[in-house]
Structure formats: C-alpha cells, structure tokens
Amino acid sequence: MNNPEQNILVDLTKENLTFHQFVFPIEGKSAADLIDAFKRNSDLIIYQSKPSESTEYLAIGKLFQFELDDKNISTLDDMILNFRNNVSAGETIENIPLFFGYSKFPSLTKEKTWKNFTENFWIIPQYLIFKSKTFHGKEEKLYCVQNFLSSMPNDEMKKIAFAESQKFIKKIVNDTLLLKKENVSIVKTSDNDSSVWKQKVSDAIEEIKENKLQKIVLARKVEYEISGTVIWSDIFEKLNSDYPDCFNFLVKSGGDYFFGSSPELLGKFEIDIFKTEALAGSINRGSDENEDSDLALLLSASRKNKKEHDIVIDHLIDNLNNHLFNIEIDETPLIKRLKNIQHLQTKISGKLKDNLKYFNVINSIFPTPAICGIPTRQTLNNLKTLEAFDRGLYSGIVGAFNLSGEAEFYVAIRSALISDNKLTAFAGCGIVEESNPDEEYTETELKLQPIISLFSNEN
C-alpha cells in the first residue's frame, strides 16, 4: 500500500491544502469480506456497520489524524475547526463520514494491554470502502473512496496515483477469494473467581447505602487463549446477522484488534438535531414470544432496573440542557430486544444550540451512568480500586463524523480485545442499592455471549 504517513504532520496553519476524494465501484457484497485481505497490508483498519440500515464502512490507512492525550475530548472541536479553516475542499463526496476513530474510557488505571491504542484517535483514511443508502441509494453496491490531501495538486500525478490505487484495490478483492475458512476455538485462561467479583458488588452496594455513590457500573474481564486464525469476514457475518440493530465495529491498530457489537447509542448529530438514549436495565430473552413479553413486563416493573434507568435519564437531561433547545423524551421506556438480552431504552432528542460542536456535547455526557456511575469523579476513583484494570477502549467511544454536521458515536460495549493469541472479553452491569450480586454476575454472563458465541470449544 502507498504510505499515507507523509501528509499526517503537515502544519495546517502554514500550508494551503486542498482535499480531494475520488470514488469508484468495486466488486463484492460486503466490506467485511475485505478485512482479512487488508489486514496484511495495513497496520490501521476501522470497520463499522449498521446492518438494519444496510450501511458499512471499512477505513484503511490514515491520510490525516487528530491525536489527543487529553481526556477533555471537547478539544477535538478546535482541531476540527482548524482543519475546516485551513483545508480547501476540492472534489468531495457528500453524506458519508470523513473521520473515523475512537476515544478511550477515562480509566485512572493504565496498563500496557492497550499500548497500541492512544487516548483519542480520529483519522481521515487513505481508502474508504463503503455501502450506504445515502450514496445514490445503491445500498447493495460497494464503492471505494481514495482520499488526497495536497498543498500542490498535480493533476497528472493524481491520475497516476488513482490508477495505481484501483489496481491495488482490485488485487485485494481478488485476494479475498483465496482465504481459507478456519475453525477458531478459545479456552478460558483467566477470570476472577465469581465469589470475588460478587464481593466487589456487595462492597459497592455498601458504598451506595452510605450515600457515597448513587450508582456504579462494575465490569469483569475474562481472558481466553485462541487456537487458529481469526477470519474477520466470518466474525462479522455472524455479528451482522445476529445483531442487526447494533453498531458492529472493529479497530485494528498495529497487531491488536478491538471489536464488538454495541447496542448503545451515545450521540447522533443530524445537522441541527442531536439524538441520544438511556440504555440501562436488563433481563434475559424468553424461549418464545409469550415468555419474551412476560420477561419484558418484569423488566418494566422492576424497581431496581427502573432506578438504574432513571439515573441515566436524569444525567443526560441535566447535561444536555446547556446544549439543546426543546428536549424531547419518551414518556415511558421502550424495550430493546437483542438476540440474547432485553434492555430498557428511552430515546432523547433536541435542537442543537451550536452546530459542529460534536465533542463539546459528547464530553458533557460521557461517560454516562450507564457505563460508569454517578457521581462520575467518585465512581472513577472507586473503579480504580474495585475493578483494578484499565478498560482502555472497552466502554469508550467508537464512531465517525464529517464536516457537514453529521456524526454518530456509540459506546464500545459487548466487546473484546485480541492481542497475539489472547482474547480478553469485557462485560459490566449497573449496581444500585437494590442490586443482587448473584443476579449481577448472571447479567455479565449474558453480556459476554455476543463475543464468546463467535468461537467454539469455550469452557
């Protein structure tokens, strides 16, 4: 692959840059089918899909990046503004994302586990393969975008580079036909004893009873050894089929892979409208429609789950009042059903007071009590002791945005990290005064299933 690193460190304040995008159709039905061929050619890959909307994006390499070590992610808005002010738009494509990336959960514990991932990382990819209804309404066809950022555009050189890229992409597509399917198995190697974790839940409940906290979300991490080569097209064929209403994602950085299937929208920007949701409170699925409905009624009537849910709603409303006009909220929680679990869901929306302030708005609500707790600062301190591990990208932010007021961010839950031959899966649950340690442990087992079920021979 052509090295895109040459343009990354350009000083935007000193160069008169022009940004160009060239698009061409490619063979194939799914962007996910190309991940395995590209992973041999690039240290950086970001895949995102929303199957229910027939939308997929596969970003490869980096043409330009925003990298920020500061946990105050609202600083990213200044970087976006600087980019807009110093880069001229040449041939560009509307209605698709420009930047893709992630921000970590603000863990107070730091570990080498996440050494290949920085705190905040948002890129314009060198290539973007996508399928989207917003592009000519041809959602069943794949397209490839090649991005250019240049201070001295040379039409002849661009034509040559564009032709070379088309050949390269065609080779990648052909390489996917040579991939061999493998049976990949995992064996559990490390997990806190269930009694130890349940005791942590009991300790958290005592903290809440003493009015030190309102709610805290405790997570587990479970480690497995992998046998065989992970074929990502197989992984996402299953995730996209089993969890069509989720945001399915992968970030490859160096030799490490972080991936998952998130049901939780953190924020969606639609020009002047912002949408988010409270997703908290859980129960298992039933064996048939009648049992499903009965369990949903139990979930809706549960004092514990309702309290956990309301804490998230209150947090969102309190913090969004500074950013939104005319906030609208569902009168009663909906039931969001996934393959293995049901959640209470309340949708919230409003008109933005300031456009193109993505991270200012997101920073005001993240981390929400649905994945951290309340009050936030005290909860983070308690997690340092109770969890005692670095969440990294787990329960962080994954998503994409453009410069036209369109952005979408999800909370990176139901997720795992693969590094070498080790898989680390994560799952958490909200603890309030009415919580029961045994039930909370069972809930984490349910939430591990979207990842664990992708592999065989789990014990």
Side-chain angles (χ1 to χ4, degrees):
M1 177 181 291
N2 297 330
N3 181 15
E5 306 287 338
Q6 58 189 344
N7 289 324
I8 292 173
L9 299 179
V10 172
D11 186 343
L12 292 178
T13 63
K14 295 181 180 179
E15 299 284 351
N16 181 21
L17 296 172
T18 303
F19 179 69
H20 296 273
Q21 294 182 298
F22 300 113
V23 63
F24 52 94
I26 62 173
E27 296 296 323
K29 292 183 178 180
S30 169
D33 292 341
L34 304 178
I35 296 173
D36 298 286
F38 271 115
K39 75 180 184 184
R40 299 195 297 269
N41 294 274
S42 178
D43 285 337
L44 177 63
I45 292 175
I46 298 175
Y47 172 79
Q48 299 175 357
S49 72
K50 294 184 69 179
S52 62
E53 298 180 10
S54 297
T55 299
E56 277 189 301
Y57 297 102
L58 176 60
I60 306 107
K62 55 187 176 183
L63 178 69
F64 184 84
Q65 73 182 47
F66 295 143
E67 188 170 341
L68 178 68
D69 289 331
D70 192 345
K71 291 183 177 62
N72 182 6
I73 58 176
S74 59
T75 306
L76 289 165
D77 286 330
D78 297 329
M79 296 182 176
I80 294 171
L81 181 61
N82 188 38
F83 184 90
R84 282 173 57 88
N85 289 341
N86 289 281
V87 175
S88 301
E91 301 169 66
T92 58
I93 301 165
E94 296 181 351
N95 301 322
I96 65 170
L98 178 60
F99 284 87
F100 295 80
Y102 62 80
S103 293
K104 287 183 179 178
F105 181 85
S107 293
L108 298 183
T109 301
K110 296 299 174 187
E111 297 173 341
K112 291 182 179 179
T113 304
W114 299 98
K115 65 182 182 300
N116 281 332
F117 301 90
T118 56
E119 288 292 325
N120 299 278
F121 187 70
W122 299 88
I123 60 140
I124 297 176
Q126 184 179 19
Y127 298 103
L128 176 65
I129 294 170
F130 73 95
K131 179 173 65 176
S132 174
K133 289 181 179 179
T134 60
F135 187 71
H136 298 321
K138 298 178 181 178
E139 68 274 10
E140 295 304 318
K141 192 171 185 64
L142 284 182
Y143 292 87
C144 179
V145 175
Q146 184 178 8
N147 293 318
F148 288 92
L149 187 60
S150 174
S151 58
M152 295 182 65
N154 183 304
D155 290 340
E156 191 61 34
M157 287 186 65
K158 283 192 294 185
K159 287 179 182 178
I160 294 172
F162 183 57
E164 289 179 351
S165 294
Q166 286 184 300
K167 291 179 183 178
F168 172 72
I169 297 297
K170 186 175 181 179
K171 179 182 182 300
I172 289 293
V173 172
N174 290 336
D175 283 351
T176 62
L177 301 175
L178 304 176
L179 290 173
K180 294 181 180 180
K181 303 291 184 181
E182 281 199 49
N183 182 47
V184 182
S185 62
I186 56 175
V187 177
K188 186 183 291 185
T189 57
S190 174
D191 182 19
N192 287 333
D193 184 88
S194 61
S195 61
V196 173
W197 192 83
K198 290 174 187 177
Q199 182 57 52
K200 292 181 178 182
V201 174
S202 297
D203 293 343
I205 293 171
E206 287 304 312
E207 294 275 294
I208 293 169
K209 287 180 177 178
E210 294 173 8
N211 295 319
K212 295 179 181 178
L213 302 170
Q214 268 188 279
K215 175 187 175 181
I216 187 169
V217 178
L218 287 183
R220 293 168 56 205
K221 70 172 183 177
V222 188
E223 296 177 351
Y224 302 83
E225 183 178 326
I226 302 175
S227 298
T229 301
V230 176
I231 304 297
W232 290 105
S233 58
D234 290 348
I235 294 293
F236 284 101
E237 180 181 6
K238 186 169 178 59
L239 284 179
N240 288 335
S241 174
D242 290 350
Y243 300 94
D245 294 320
C246 289
F247 182 84
N248 301 322
F249 62 89
L250 167 74
V251 180
K252 180 199 177 190
S253 183
D256 293 349
Y257 299 82
F258 178 70
F259 68 105
S261 179
S262 175
E264 186 172 350
L265 174 69
L266 180 60
K268 183 175 184 178
F269 295 79
E270 298 176 340
I271 312 301
D272 60 347
I273 300 297
F274 176 77
K275 297 179 178 179
T276 186
E277 66 181 22
L279 194 75
S282 311
I283 202 166
N284 58 296
R285 292 293 303 270
S287 58
D288 55 35
E289 183 63 34
N290 288 334
E291 188 179 3
D292 250 353
S293 298
D294 289 343
L295 288 167
L297 287 173
L298 283 175
L299 176 60
S300 298
S302 166
R303 180 184 173 188
K304 178 263 178 185
N305 284 291
K306 184 69 165 57
K307 183 175 183 178
E308 184 184 341
H309 191 78
D310 287 345
I311 288 172
V312 180
I313 292 174
D314 291 343
H315 168 85
L316 292 172
I317 296 297
D318 288 347
N319 288 280
L320 288 173
N321 273 321
N322 293 327
H323 302 284
L324 304 180
F325 296 112
N326 306 322
I327 294 178
E328 297 182 1
I329 180 171
D330 291 334
E331 290 185 8
T332 57
L334 307 170
I335 299 296
K336 182 162 188 172
R337 287 178 174 169
L338 305 178
K339 181 179 179 181
N340 64 320
I341 200 168
Q342 305 183 75
H343 295 293
L344 291 177
Q345 177 193 46
T346 296
K347 297 180 180 181
I348 299 168
S349 64
K351 186 176 176 63
L352 286 161
K353 295 180 179 179
D354 295 304
N355 292 341
L356 279 177
K357 292 286 186 179
Y358 303 138
F359 291 97
N360 191 30
V361 177
I362 292 299
N363 189 55
S364 72
I365 59 175
F366 178 81
T368 75
I371 44 95
C372 180
I374 201 84
T376 304
R377 183 173 296 180
Q378 183 60 45
T379 301
L380 289 171
N381 286 330
N382 283 51
L383 288 177
K384 183 178 182 180
T385 303
L386 289 173
E387 284 186 354
F389 65 82
D390 183 1
R391 289 193 186 184
L393 269 67
Y394 165 66
S395 68
I397 303 169
V398 285
F401 62 89
N402 61 25
L403 302 180
S404 303
E406 298 167 319
E408 199 161 9
F409 304 104
Y410 277 77
V411 183
I413 55 175
R414 314 294 150 84
S415 54
L417 173 70
I418 291 180
S419 182
D420 296 324
N421 66 334
K422 185 173 78 172
L423 180 145
T424 305
F426 302 89
C429 50
I431 311 301
V432 292
E433 186 174 344
E434 294 82 1
S435 292
N436 177 288
D438 291 326
E439 293 175 358
E440 301 298 343
Y441 187 84
T442 300
E443 183 176 321
T444 61
E445 291 287 289
L446 271 177
K447 291 176 176 178
L448 285 168
Q449 281 310 300
I451 297 299
I452 304 311
S453 63
L454 298 169
F455 307 93
S456 61
N457 298 341
E458 192 274 326
N459 60 349

